[in-house]
């Protein structure tokens, strides 16, 4: 227990323990920095942090899973050198920018959301500290802004120019509900998600993605380049969300073929999220599943954020008659998310394990998805 480890490490009890989850996303990938829709939900895995105010200006942080400790001042102009500590430091700084008087604290944290698997371990880490610091220092920052604190931490201290989906889901998650977020208006709606007769399951390729490795940021730049070209003719286009395929055709001669492919994927994906929401209201899981496969194809061929292992698992899902399957999250590794009929579940999992092992020498990890609550004090 994080609480007990805190006591052992610092010799006093923590003031409190906070938790914040990772997330899944049913559909709407690489749409959140394009002003479009996402459809995530928080999961039953995340980060847990025990914290005690220490009355100084120093943060002493212990990463339980890595058995590493660091110390920094919230006023240090330079972030600490440990990768994980940059997240905590970044959150402190971003809360400070929003007028919160962040003082020193001792903290120990641990997580059970796999790292680099596309389930947003980093958003869970940011959100747990944003949420706790807000409570401990009477920040009065609203929940949406807490999500933005996490996103700004990625932008300013980690170098990933991510959208808002992961931090939003981690803060706003609600048990049994997916959330459709419009990232242009920031309006959101909870959708109870309990697909009778189906299971939602993640298969982890165990290929670790490295979002920061610039490929993610390049995708974003491609989208922005296409928007800039479109806006010359259509000044109302601020995001790819505002565009359609006809506008894309108009600018094909002015943007690179690669950038055009990226935009084609995003424009298609916007429509797919809307299709899925409508289908869910009708209980039409067949359509939900078809759109998931289409997303996978788009992410693999047009957006080029899949990898051989993800494509392999997607093919197995098709062969097994799984209703829907696709790469989830940023891509370049991590998990597929699969919508599977109860009756096919066991066969699918054993086939996927067997075939993946025969090809790559190890079995994919299997995670049943349990849609859970967002950031909270325990
Ligand atoms: C990562 C980012 C999100 C989002 C997804 C892709 O998880 O952090 O903002 O862009 O990739 O949908």
């Amino acid at each position: 227990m994080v609480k007990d480890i805190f006591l052992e490490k610092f010799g006093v009890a923590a003031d409190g323990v906070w938790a914040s989850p990772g997330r899944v996303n049913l559909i709407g990938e690489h749409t959140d920095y394009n002003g479009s829709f996402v459809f995530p939900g928080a999961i039953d895995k995340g980060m847990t942090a025990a914290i005690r105010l220490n009355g100084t200006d120093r943060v002493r942080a212990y990463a339980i899973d890595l058995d590493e400790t660091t110390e920094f001042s919230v006023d240090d102009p330079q972030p600490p050198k440990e990768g994980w500590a940059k997240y905590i430091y970044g959150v402190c700084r971003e809360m400070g920018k929003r007028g919160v008087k962040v003082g020193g604290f001792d903290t120990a944290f641990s997580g059970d959301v796999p790292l680099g698997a596309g389930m947003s371990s980093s958003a869970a880490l940011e959100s747990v500290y944003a949420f706790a610091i807000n409570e401990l220092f009477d920040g009065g920052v609203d929940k949406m802004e807490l999500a933005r604190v996490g996103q700004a931490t990625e932008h300013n201290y980690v170098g990933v120019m991510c959208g808002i989906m992961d931090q939003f889901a981690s803060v706003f998650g609600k048990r049994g509900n997916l959330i459709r977020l419009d990232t242009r208006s920031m309006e959101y709606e909870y959708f109870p998600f309990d697909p009778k007769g189906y299971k939602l399951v993640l298969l982890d390729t165990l290929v670790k993605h490295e979002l920061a490795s610039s490929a993610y940021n390049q995708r974003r730049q491609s989208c922005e380049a296409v928007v800039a070209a479109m806006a010359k003719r259509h000044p109302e286009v601020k995001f790819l969300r505002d565009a359609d395929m006809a506008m894309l055709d108009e600018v094909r001669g002015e943007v690179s073929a690669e950038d055009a492919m990226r935009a084609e994927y995003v424009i298609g994906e916007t429509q797919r999220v809307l299709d899925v929401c409508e289908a869910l209201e009708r209980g039409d899981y067949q359509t939900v599943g078809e759109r998931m496969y289409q997303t996978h194809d788009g992410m693999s061929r047009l957006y080029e954020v899949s990898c051989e292992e993800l494509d392999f698992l997607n093919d197995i899902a098709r062969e097994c008659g799984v209703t829907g399957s696709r790469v989830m999250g940023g891509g370049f590794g991590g998990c597929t998310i699969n919508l599977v009929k109860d009756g096919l579940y066991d066969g699918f999992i054993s086939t996927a394990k067997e075939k993946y092992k025969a090809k790559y020498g190890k079995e994919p990890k299997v995670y049943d998805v349990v849609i859970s609550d967002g950031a909270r004090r325990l």
Side-chain angles (χ1 to χ4, degrees), residues 28 30-40 148 151 163-165 168 180-188 239 241:
H30 290 274
T31 44
D32 61 350
Y33 50 85
N34 284 301
S36 191
F37 303 98
V38 290
F39 208 1
R148 290 207 174 91
Q151 183 192 25
I164 192 74
M165 167 168 74
F168 168 82
R180 186 182 70 190
L181 171 69
D182 178 336
T183 64
R184 189 172 62 186
S185 67
M186 294 309 278
E187 276 165 17
Y188 59 93
F239 299 104
R241 157 79 181 281

Side-chain angles (χ1 to χ4, degrees), residues 13 28 50 89 122 135 173 209 270 305 346 356:
Y89 169 84
S122 55
E135 282 195 6
H209 68 186
T270 298
V305 294
D346 290 341
Y356 196 83

Side-chain angles (χ1 to χ4, degrees), residues 33-95:
Y33 50 85
N34 284 301
S36 191
F37 303 98
V38 290
F39 208 1
I43 54 175
D44 61 341
K45 295 177 178 48
M47 291 287 172
T48 306
I51 306 180
R52 180 188 175 91
L53 301 186
N54 62 20
T56 73
D57 68 345
R58 306 208 48 88
V59 175
R60 289 183 297 198
Y62 178 44
I64 297 172
D65 306 326
L66 302 169
D67 193 20
E68 279 179 26
T69 309
T70 196
E71 195 175 324
F72 58 84
S73 159
V74 287
D75 301 321
D76 283 346
Q78 288 304 318
K81 62 179 190 312
E82 296 81 1
W84 56 269
K86 290 193 170 63
Y87 293 95
I88 306 176
Y89 169 84
V91 167
C92 292
R93 301 287 288 188
E94 289 298 327
M95 292 298 279

Side-chain angles (χ1 to χ4, degrees), residues 72 104 136 138 142 181 187 210 217 263 265 326 329 373:
F72 58 84
L136 284 164
D138 291 327
D142 71 37
L181 171 69
E187 276 165 17
E210 244 313 336
N217 295 350
Y265 161 76
R326 64 176 196 81
D373 285 327

Side-chain angles (χ1 to χ4, degrees), residues 335-353:
C335 296
T336 59
I337 181 167
N338 305 272
L339 182 65
V340 196
K341 282 209 173 105
D342 285 341
L344 291 179
Y345 180 87
D346 290 341
F348 169 52
I349 299 297
S350 57
T351 307
K353 282 186 172 171

Side-chain angles (χ1 to χ4, degrees), residues 145-318:
E145 200 57 32
L146 291 180
R148 290 207 174 91
V149 163
Q151 183 192 25
T153 298
E154 297 279 350
H155 289 190
N156 300 332
Y157 306 92
V158 186
V160 180
M161 298 308 289
C162 65
I164 192 74
M165 167 168 74
D166 304 351
Q167 294 78 11
F168 168 82
S170 189
V171 172
F172 284 83
K174 183 165 150 192
R175 182 190 298 229
N177 284 262
L178 296 177
I179 326 169
R180 186 182 70 190
L181 171 69
D182 178 336
T183 64
R184 189 172 62 186
S185 67
M186 294 309 278
E187 276 165 17
Y188 59 93
E189 191 181 340
Y190 288 98
F191 279 70
F193 187 73
D194 181 21
K196 291 268 178 302
Y198 292 84
K199 282 191 175 51
L200 209 48
V201 61
L202 306 181
L203 292 188
D204 186 353
T205 57
L206 302 174
V207 176
K208 298 284 169 228
H209 68 186
E210 244 313 336
L211 282 183
S213 67
S214 79
Y216 181 93
N217 295 350
Q218 283 164 14
R219 295 299 181 285
R220 185 169 183 153
Q221 281 162 11
S222 289
C223 295
E224 287 166 2
V226 176
V227 167
M230 288 171 169
K232 288 185 205 149
R233 292 185 181 76
H234 306 279
E236 74 279 11
V237 174
K238 303 270 187 287
F239 299 104
L240 281 179
R241 157 79 181 281
D242 310 320
D244 57 26
M245 293 293 183
M247 291 178 184
L248 178 58
D249 287 338
E250 284 173 357
V251 299
R252 277 190 198 274
E254 297 157 37
V255 300
S256 73
E258 196 179 86
D259 289 354
M261 268 160 57
R262 308 296 189 238
E264 186 178 333
Y265 161 76
V266 172
I267 294 170
E269 184 71 352
T270 298
Q271 187 55 46
R272 283 190 287 273
V273 185
L274 295 174
D275 291 351
V276 162
C277 290
E278 251 181 44
L280 278 181
E281 272 162 10
R282 295 192 305 269
D284 171 5
Y285 294 105
Q286 212 48 45
T287 299
V288 174
E290 275 161 23
R291 293 297 177 274
M292 290 171 75
Y293 280 113
Q294 288 166 1
T295 294
H296 187 89
D297 285 345
M299 287 177 80
S300 183
R301 288 184 306 103
L302 297 173
Y303 220 62
E304 296 182 300
V305 294
S306 186
C307 64
E308 191 195 307
E309 291 85 346
L310 286 163
D311 289 347
F312 187 72
L313 286 179
N314 188 255
D315 287 343
I316 295 175
R318 272 185 211 274

